[in-house]
Amino acid sequence: MRERIWALLPLLLLLLPPPLWGGPPDGPRPEAQREPGPLQPFDLLYASGVAAYYSEDYEQAVRDLEAALRSHQRLREVRARCARHCAARRPLASPGAGPAAELPFFRALLERARCYRSCQTQRLGGPASRHRVSEDVRSDFQRRVPYNYLQRAYIKLNQLEKAVEAAHTFFMANPEHMEMQQNIENYRTMAGVEVLRLVDREAKPHLESYSAGVKHYEADDFELAIKYFEQALRDYFSEDTECRALCEGPQRFEEYEYLGYKAGLYEAIADHYMQVLVCQHECVRELATRPGRLSPIENFLPLHYDYLQFAYYRVGEYVKALECAKAYLLLHPDDEDVLDNVDYYESLLDDSSDPASIEAREDLAMFVKRHKLESELIKSAAEGLGFSYTEPNYWIRYGGRQDENRVPSGVNVEGAEVHGLSMGKKSSPKIDRDLREGGPLLYENITFVYNSEQLNGTQRVLLDNVLSEEQCRELHSVASGIMLVGDGYRGKTSPHTPNEKFEGATVLKALKFGYEGRVPLKSARLFYDISEKARKIVESYFMLNSTLYFSYTHMVCRTALSGQQERRTDLSHPIHADNCLLDPEANECWKEPPAYTFRDYSALLYMNDDFEGGEFIFTEMDAKTVTASIKPKCGRMISFSSGGENPHGVKAVTKGQRCAVALWFTLDPLYRELERIQADEVIAILDQEQQGKHELNINPKDEL
């Protein structure tokens, strides 16, 4: 198997794209973009900017946050440029035969590593290790969180235009963020204009050009459509080169503890290289995914050639139309419409042109050849090295154009109507199970409060006394001992609003702390037991015919930050649905895997009421019209189905701390919560140990 992988590797090396920049690593750079001195790490600038924001030093916050964004962009440019430069200057040699056959390859590998390190050090003004950041910071920049702080800081400085730019840039990657949408509307009112000039500072050129191409195509302006689609392809392949270069960074070995990782030379190389290769292979999906969306534009890359083949036909460039049609067939060889188009375009060629000599576009031909070779190598490695891999369908056919112009030979093109591009979106489907409720509550003392009809919705129930006052106090005490700021929110102190602090903990963490004696084990177990109690109640009340499994269990507290509550208009948690992406403008909720589409029911079990604000609210699909409002209190539980039929959120917590146990459930055992399964095992061990102590008549205190 190793020989097979090595045999494929030289072919991959030959298929690496030519460098887009071949100059020396210290080549000229426009002075307007050059930062004086060594490049400052963007995570430190970001932290400084956030600290300045909370200190109300908004000018310093703007300086540091803008510098962090520039540093982040510059770091990406340096890494991509150095990767291209060193790939061109230090090509990898193919392993030969005979004694020491691998040495030329490893010599070339070491030379490239040295080139890469030298290039980065020179361009960054210091060692690249200074710029390694945490996963949380990386996630913040991917989600464009710095722009959220920026828009607030700019509005404090009365710089409306820059605030609008920052707000729009953030909103494009967070379209479900209703507060930001409202902010932009407020800014429009402040500006006194009907339409604001909205600028996305992080817009991807290939997506912008593609959208412009579609717009001109649908307006029958085929000359401009060609211009923008060709630009989109140039931008796409440039972005693909950068994406692949950035995949060559450090990888996470999730299945291993780093200090205990004892793989040999070839296993270690294979582990790392396969992670890099899979990442590079997935660039196809990343480049087709719009900011803030979970699913890519289906059939994205082939669609460029599908549009171009007809656009070129309409302007009379039949050779180019034929090249694009043949390019499209590289990915969809059995598409009957395009096969007919090829025959038709060939019939239009003059006698001097040989149809057989006209081949598919070279840019896509090289891309597809490399993509197929990568796929073969990954599948081969998965089989030989024992990891699981399923090749996604990157070119889904039903993402194709649905206009009549797909078959120019079969229609009157002068009168053809263009219906535009089908993006293949699927709205949240109607619930396909029987909607029932009113089953037994299973436990004594639980009080029924409201059903779906009384809560003005579908599949909703409100119960009281699920917890006793004593249990609430005990859980609150546990919370103070096990929670970390941002835990459960990728370490984010304020994941939904900068005006509150979020803390969280899972069941497994509580049991771990209990086992270690950091919190009472009895109290940690209570967290486990009451979540199981809630699961049984939900399963019974909604009269489900199959087992309800935990999808995620999380104890969370929201604390109002002092000095930040005046004139507050945002929500503690924006309006959303739990298993689909809420789209208020379209009045739909799009189910886009892997957006927790497997969640079926949700529940919130409240632990206290000694705070102000924090009401749980249901809304209509418009995310504005409130249909029910629920004030939390000890022992109260709200449960509901997780789909678009139940948009919900949390009003601002303006004083004190609001704590609850949040529960999400699934009917699909494939999506059971891993930590819950581990917690079940811990409980079984504890029960077994306790049983053994009883049999031996050992007092646990004696062991201390």
Side-chain angles (χ1 to χ4, degrees):
M1 183 58 61
R2 183 184 300 165
E3 289 77 6
R4 185 180 177 191
I5 296 174
W6 277 108
L8 289 168
L9 189 56
L11 294 176
L12 261 184
L13 299 177
L14 293 174
L15 286 169
L16 288 173
L20 298 183
W21 181 85
D26 56 349
R29 181 167 173 252
E31 289 300 323
Q33 300 178 25
R34 189 185 298 275
E35 298 286 347
L39 186 68
Q40 296 301 307
F42 70 89
D43 58 335
L44 300 183
L45 291 167
Y46 178 44
S48 177
V50 172
Y53 172 85
Y54 284 120
S55 299
E56 300 184 10
D57 186 351
Y58 299 114
E59 291 185 354
Q60 185 64 43
V62 164
R63 284 195 295 271
D64 287 342
L65 290 168
E66 291 286 13
L69 290 166
R70 290 194 299 271
S71 174
H72 178 251
Q73 180 60 31
R74 175 65 178 147
L75 181 62
R76 286 176 60 92
E77 292 173 356
V78 166
R79 286 174 172 168
R81 179 169 288 190
C82 287
R84 294 194 297 265
H85 166 74
C86 293
R89 291 280 300 274
R90 297 288 184 266
L92 298 180
S94 301
E102 293 101 337
L103 289 183
F105 172 77
F106 283 107
R107 178 189 293 276
L109 198 69
L110 294 172
E111 289 290 337
R112 182 176 292 190
R114 184 170 64 179
C115 172
Y116 193 59
R117 175 173 293 186
S118 173
C119 177
Q120 287 198 86
T121 300
Q122 185 173 348
R123 286 187 170 276
L124 298 175
S129 58
R130 296 178 64 228
H131 299 274
R132 292 174 184 165
V133 302
S134 70
E135 188 66 28
D136 296 328
V137 172
R138 189 179 293 110
S139 172
D140 265 12
F141 276 74
Q142 184 178 7
R143 292 165 47 229
R144 305 187 182 181
V145 173
Y147 289 99
N148 193 1
Y149 289 105
L150 266 178
Q151 63 99 16
R152 294 170 180 273
Y154 275 128
I155 207 64
K156 293 285 188 180
L157 297 172
N158 295 316
Q159 298 185 39
L160 180 59
E161 186 175 344
K162 291 184 176 181
V164 171
E165 283 187 3
H168 180 66
T169 302
F170 175 81
F171 185 67
M172 291 302 293
N174 300 272
E176 78 288 352
H177 201 286
M178 295 300 105
E179 179 202 352
M180 193 61 67
Q181 188 177 42
Q182 185 60 51
N183 284 353
I184 294 173
E185 180 63 21
N186 292 341
Y187 297 155
R188 186 192 65 78
T189 303
M190 291 168 63
V193 296
E194 288 295 322
V195 180
L196 282 171
R197 180 176 174 270
L198 299 177
V199 176
D200 180 3
R201 290 175 50 179
E202 299 278 343
K204 295 295 185 182
H206 72 288
L207 290 172
E208 296 291 297
S209 296
Y210 174 79
S211 297
V214 172
K215 177 182 177 181
H216 289 295
Y217 177 92
E218 292 180 344
D220 287 349
D221 190 345
F222 297 110
E223 292 280 2
L224 276 178
I226 289 170
K227 173 186 174 182
Y228 281 104
F229 281 126
E230 291 289 8
Q231 183 61 48
L233 284 171
R234 288 191 292 271
D235 292 337
Y236 180 95
F237 290 120
S238 176
E239 287 282 331
D240 179 68
T241 301
E242 178 175 311
C243 176
R244 297 173 66 83
L246 294 175
C247 283
E248 295 176 358
Q251 299 294 318
R252 289 182 307 233
F253 296 89
E254 296 177 353
E255 298 181 10
Y256 309 103
E257 288 291 337
Y258 177 74
L259 294 178
Y261 185 60
K262 303 296 183 184
L265 172 65
Y266 294 104
E267 289 81 1
I269 292 174
D271 279 344
H272 195 117
Y273 180 66
M274 280 301 110
Q275 291 190 62
V276 169
L277 190 60
V278 169
C279 173
Q280 292 176 333
H281 203 57
E282 283 287 300
C283 284
V284 170
R285 182 180 298 276
E286 180 173 333
L287 295 183
T289 304
R290 296 183 185 276
R293 295 295 185 265
L294 299 164
S295 298
I297 300 171
E298 289 159 348
N299 208 29
F300 180 62
L301 182 57
L303 274 174
H304 290 70
Y305 298 92
D306 196 11
Y307 279 112
L308 279 170
Q309 57 101 7
F310 183 76
Y312 276 123
Y313 161 75
R314 287 301 305 271
V315 299
E317 297 197 40
Y318 304 133
V319 172
K320 291 184 177 180
L322 185 55
E323 289 174 340
C324 290
K326 288 186 174 182
Y328 184 87
L329 290 173
L330 292 175
L331 296 167
H332 297 302
D334 57 349
D335 189 303
E336 294 182 1
D337 291 342
V338 181
L339 287 169
D340 288 342
N341 290 357
V342 167
D343 292 338
Y344 182 64
Y345 298 149
E346 289 178 347
S347 72
L348 297 175
L349 298 175
D350 56 41
D351 295 337
S352 63
S353 298
D354 178 13
S357 67
I358 299 173
E359 299 181 348
R361 289 263 297 247
E362 185 179 5
D363 52 3
L364 189 65
M366 290 293 292
F367 182 91
V368 170
K369 188 174 182 181
R370 183 187 65 193
H371 191 79
K372 289 181 177 179
L373 190 58
E374 286 176 348
S375 177
E376 183 180 348
L377 184 56
I378 294 171
K379 290 175 183 177
S380 172
E383 178 185 346
L385 300 176
F387 64 89
S388 60
Y389 176 77
T390 302
E391 177 82 359
N393 184 354
Y394 295 104
W395 328 113
I396 297 175
R397 177 75 56 79
Y398 58 78
R401 291 190 294 117
Q402 300 302 314
D403 60 80
E404 297 173 19
N405 297 335
R406 291 212 76 227
V407 195
S409 57
V411 300
N412 175 7
V413 295
E414 295 302 323
E417 178 186 357
V418 179
H419 299 295
L421 172 65
S422 168
M423 306 301 277
K425 262 190 173 180
K426 305 181 190 68
S427 63
S428 179
K430 302 300 180 185
I431 302 174
D432 57 4
R433 55 181 178 273
D434 293 335
L435 298 183
R436 299 187 295 173
E437 60 181 281
L441 299 179
L442 301 180
Y443 299 89
E444 294 182 2
N445 301 323
I446 293 180
T447 304
F448 171 83
V449 182
Y450 294 132
N451 61 16
S452 295
E453 183 178 358
Q454 293 163 314
L455 290 169
N456 302 313
T458 303
Q459 294 278 277
R460 302 174 180 177
V461 65
L462 183 65
L463 306 172
D464 278 344
N465 300 321
V466 178
L467 295 175
S468 67
E469 291 285 347
E470 182 181 351
Q471 288 175 323
C472 287
R473 286 193 295 271
E474 190 171 357
L475 284 175
H476 211 194
S477 176
V478 169
S480 63
I482 65 174
M483 284 189 172
L484 290 177
V485 173
D487 193 20
Y489 297 93
R490 301 183 67 85
K492 305 273 72 63
T493 304
S494 306
H496 305 302
T497 168
N499 299 309
E500 296 174 21
K501 179 178 70 175
F502 287 70
E503 300 168 288
T506 61
V507 169
L508 185 63
K509 182 179 179 181
L511 290 173
K512 181 176 182 291
F513 275 41
Y515 193 77
E516 295 171 352
R518 296 159 74 175
V519 297
L521 183 56
K522 172 178 171 291
S523 301
R525 172 136 193 182
L526 176 63
F527 182 11
Y528 175 90
D529 290 338
I530 60 99
S531 57
E532 173 62 17
K533 179 180 181 180
R535 185 196 67 81
K536 290 179 177 178
I537 294 170
V538 173
E539 184 181 87
S540 176
Y541 178 80
F542 289 113
M543 305 171 72
L544 303 177
N545 292 324
S546 55
T547 303
L548 199 61
Y549 301 95
F550 287 98
S551 168
Y552 190 51
T553 311
H554 195 232
M555 184 185 292
V556 59
C557 290
R558 308 161 184 262
T559 306
L561 297 177
S562 60
Q564 294 181 213
Q565 304 305 316
E566 290 185 15
R567 297 185 298 277
R568 184 176 168 190
T569 60
D570 66 327
L571 297 176
S572 175
H573 198 143
I575 304 299
H576 64 285
D578 285 342
N579 72 6
C580 54
L581 183 62
L582 192 63
D583 188 346
E585 292 185 3
N587 209 39
E588 293 284 2
C589 203
W590 307 111
K591 268 206 165 183
E592 296 187 339
Y596 309 122
T597 56
F598 46 83
R599 289 177 175 173
D600 293 300
Y601 284 90
S602 309
L604 291 152
L605 184 53
Y606 299 107
M607 295 155 49
N608 66 315
D609 60 3
D610 53 340
F611 55 89
E612 294 180 8
E615 294 88 350
F616 177 94
I617 54 174
F618 286 113
T619 72
E620 298 284 4
M621 292 283 282
D622 62 5
K624 297 178 181 178
T625 307
V626 176
T627 59
S629 179
I630 296 150
K631 177 67 177 176
K633 69 174 185 177
C634 167
R636 172 163 286 180
M637 185 175 87
I638 179 70
S639 182
F640 48 93
S641 55
S642 302
E645 67 278 3
N646 283 316
H648 59 278
V650 179
K651 288 187 175 181
V653 178
T654 56
K655 185 177 181 181
Q657 184 184 66
R658 174 192 190 271
C659 294
V661 175
L663 304 147
W664 292 272
F665 306 104
T666 178
L667 293 167
D668 189 341
L670 290 176
Y671 294 100
R672 294 175 65 188
E673 181 184 10
L674 178 60
E675 282 208 7
R676 189 75 194 195
I677 296 173
Q678 295 172 319
D680 292 341
E681 294 171 353
V682 171
I683 289 294
I685 293 171
L686 291 174
D687 287 345
Q688 189 175 10
E689 288 181 357
Q690 195 64 30
Q691 182 180 356
K693 290 172 183 176
H694 284 312
E695 290 175 354
L696 296 173
N697 198 26
I698 297 176
N699 186 335
K701 292 184 178 180
D702 293 340
E703 294 190 330
L704 302 177

